Amino acid sequence: MKMIRRRQSPDDARAAAVEAAHGLLIEEGVAAVTLKAVASRIGRTHANLLHHFGSAAGLHRALAEEIARRVSASITAAIASRRRGEATPRDVVDAMFDAFARDRVGELVGWIALTRQREALLPVTETVAAILADFRAAGDPRPMDRVVLGLVLLAIGDSLVGAEVAAATGDDPMVVREIAVAQIGALLS
């Protein structure tokens, strides 16, 4: 019996490819996120993915957009909880660091930067700007630009090599989160 494959809408095809790319990133690392590997995972051809993304860089950018959306949602929810008095600064730091680690943000950002696909970083930088704009829209006069800058860079570094650097210093990997909370306190005092 011949299997009949249903035609996907372009949006559904792109979403399936990005989800497959995200799975490869989580399971095997960014080097595994190739057009060939993603096509194989979703039962499509390399040419089909080229049609939808234009290039491997286009796929990487779409993956960065999806990860930025997920991370932003997590951080925004933590900030909203903090504003309602339901969370501590440490809760916000934990939400950010956990989201960056879960979605391997450091690895993806590092790969994009090292392969000089700087335009693919746009979703990440737009997310950072959106988080900062949220603080400004709430009328927060504190230097949140410095807080966000420091937290994002610490979270990226931690998601990339935090465990290894902590081991080299003999510290618990969670110490960097305490440093982040102290940084927030210092900048906002």
Side-chain angles (χ1 to χ4, degrees):
M1 178 192 288
K2 186 176 181 180
M3 287 188 65
I4 298 173
R5 186 165 37 172
R6 298 180 113 191
R7 183 167 170 83
Q8 286 182 308
S9 72
D11 288 342
D12 288 345
R14 282 180 59 88
V18 170
E19 191 61 33
H22 190 247
L24 284 165
L25 174 66
I26 300 300
E27 296 161 20
E28 301 178 39
V30 74
V33 183
T34 65
L35 290 171
K36 182 178 178 182
V38 171
S40 174
R41 188 169 268 212
I42 62 172
R44 299 287 185 210
T45 64
H46 181 271
N48 181 264
L49 288 184
L50 281 174
H51 170 74
H52 289 291
F53 297 101
S55 65
L59 174 63
H60 291 157
R61 180 179 175 136
L63 177 58
E65 287 171 356
E66 176 59 19
I67 289 173
R69 185 192 62 72
R70 290 178 190 210
V71 168
S72 178
S74 177
I75 294 167
T76 300
I79 291 168
S81 290
R82 174 73 180 132
R83 284 186 178 144
R84 291 189 306 270
E86 300 167 354
T88 66
R90 175 60 188 255
D91 294 329
V92 174
V93 167
D94 284 345
M96 177 179 269
F97 279 60
D98 290 346
F100 275 53
R102 178 188 63 241
D103 286 307
R104 298 182 79 157
V105 173
E107 190 171 343
L108 181 63
V109 166
W111 177 266
I112 289 170
L114 290 171
T115 57
R116 298 191 181 266
Q117 300 176 53
R118 296 284 179 175
E119 69 283 351
L121 287 175
L122 192 57
V124 175
T125 58
E126 287 174 344
T127 296
V128 170
I131 291 168
L132 185 55
D134 182 45
F135 279 110
R136 290 188 174 134
D140 196 328
R142 300 173 297 171
M144 297 309 293
D145 54 335
R146 293 175 183 237
V147 170
V148 172
L149 173 65
L151 287 178
V152 168
L153 292 177
L154 279 171
I156 288 171
D158 184 62
S159 72
L160 187 58
V161 293
E164 294 83 0
V165 173
T169 64
D171 285 314
D172 182 291
M174 293 295 153
V175 168
V176 72
R177 295 176 186 215
E178 294 169 20
I179 293 167
V181 172
Q183 170 189 298
I184 292 170
L187 288 170
L188 298 181
S189 63

